[in-house]
Amino acid sequence: MYSENRSTASLSEMDYLDVKNLAQTGEGTYLEFKRTIPSAYKIAREIAAFANTQGGTLLIGVDDDKSLVGVLGYQEQEYLLKKATEELCRPKVDIVIEIVHFGDRDLLVIKVPEADNKPVFVHDEDEETVFMREKDQNKVASEELVKIIEKRNSDEGVTFEYGPKEQKLFRYLNEYGEITVEKFAQLVDVSRARASGTLVDLVTADILSLFRKDNVDYFTYS
């Protein structure tokens, strides 16, 4: 059960008009709003996506049409937020919860910082998933992107060979501009896992970059 004396929420310096003006800017890379929190797992996905990207703000008590409807008491919402950040997000995400009162209702302004220790995984039973923020949506990160994030946030350096396989890769990129893991594996006749590892190392070393198109990862020159 939620215990009110465990609350970490504080009154916001924002007022009703501030929240209304913010909501009018619309959802995007740094802003998401919801009428209410549907479940701890669903809000954990939002929080993790912001934390894995560049941070952002969640507004609770704002409808899809940007109108401010508020919630009757913020305690249940805060309980779900704490469950999401402390139990479902790993590592834990330290959010700031601010309350804006209007009438008998409350608006919640949740500030999500960019994580220092990426990636943040969302755990659901036996599964763990990494979400990223892309415009106004949360996207599941690919296996390659997760590895790139992990390598960039580790203290280990990146080394790679420049051999015949890499030469074939660069010749292909010079001609076609982009390549997938599967195409690279086929091109140099190696397993998908080995092709993935090579491309991940080249992205981590800032030689290549990764972009997503039609839910497929492509690699190209940085």
Side-chain angles (χ1 to χ4, degrees):
M1 292 292 292
Y2 177 84
S3 175
E4 188 169 346
N5 60 17
R6 293 175 56 235
S7 175
T8 57
S10 61
L11 287 177
S12 177
E13 293 182 358
M14 300 177 69
D15 60 20
Y16 177 88
L17 287 178
D18 292 329
V19 178
K20 182 177 181 179
N21 289 335
L22 180 58
Q24 289 303 311
T25 65
E27 294 177 317
T29 304
Y30 306 103
L31 181 65
E32 174 80 18
F33 42 78
K34 295 188 175 298
R35 185 183 185 94
T36 188
I37 296 175
S39 70
Y41 175 72
K42 288 184 177 180
I43 205 65
R45 295 189 308 185
E46 306 282 353
I47 291 168
F50 279 136
N52 282 325
T53 313
Q54 294 178 293
T57 301
L58 284 161
L59 300 179
I60 308 300
V62 180
D63 215 338
D64 289 339
D65 63 1
K66 304 177 185 178
S67 62
L68 275 57
V69 295
V71 295
L72 286 171
Y74 64 85
Q75 290 84 0
E76 182 180 355
Q77 308 295 305
E78 185 183 8
Y79 170 79
L80 292 172
L81 287 165
K82 286 190 173 185
K83 182 176 178 64
T85 56
E86 297 178 6
E87 298 180 23
L88 301 182
C89 289
R90 300 182 189 174
K92 171 186 172 182
V93 179
D94 292 320
I95 60 174
V96 175
I97 305 173
E98 297 181 352
I99 308 299
V100 176
H101 298 301
F102 74 102
D104 62 347
R105 292 180 175 268
D106 300 314
L107 297 164
L108 283 77
V109 180
I110 298 103
K111 297 177 180 178
V112 183
E114 181 176 356
D116 292 326
N117 187 15
K118 297 179 184 178
V120 174
F121 291 87
V122 177
H123 289 253
D124 181 31
E125 296 181 351
D126 296 329
E127 295 183 347
E128 58 179 21
T129 309
V130 173
F131 294 91
M132 305 292 294
R133 189 73 176 176
E134 187 176 310
K135 295 183 179 178
D136 62 347
Q137 296 184 342
N138 302 319
K139 301 283 189 176
V140 176
S142 66
E143 176 185 346
E144 283 69 40
L145 182 54
V146 172
K147 289 179 180 177
I148 291 166
I149 295 171
E150 289 175 332
K151 282 179 174 287
R152 283 180 170 169
N153 284 273
S154 73
D155 295 327
E156 298 179 5
V158 178
T159 59
F160 59 89
E161 296 180 3
Y162 183 69
K165 292 180 174 58
E166 287 74 20
Q167 291 174 19
K168 279 189 177 182
L169 169 64
F170 295 140
R171 284 198 297 268
Y172 185 93
L173 289 174
N174 287 337
E175 183 172 357
Y176 297 103
E178 60 192 37
I179 196 168
T180 63
V181 174
E182 290 74 17
K183 182 62 182 178
F184 178 46
Q186 179 186 29
L187 180 69
V188 297
D189 193 25
V190 297
S191 67
R192 188 195 186 284
R194 186 172 176 184
S196 172
T198 298
L199 292 171
V200 165
D201 285 344
L202 289 169
V203 172
T204 308
D206 291 326
I207 295 171
L208 299 183
S209 61
L210 179 152
F211 70 95
R212 197 162 182 81
K213 180 172 64 177
D214 298 328
N215 292 321
V216 177
D217 283 346
Y218 289 86
F219 296 80
T220 188
Y221 285 121
S222 294

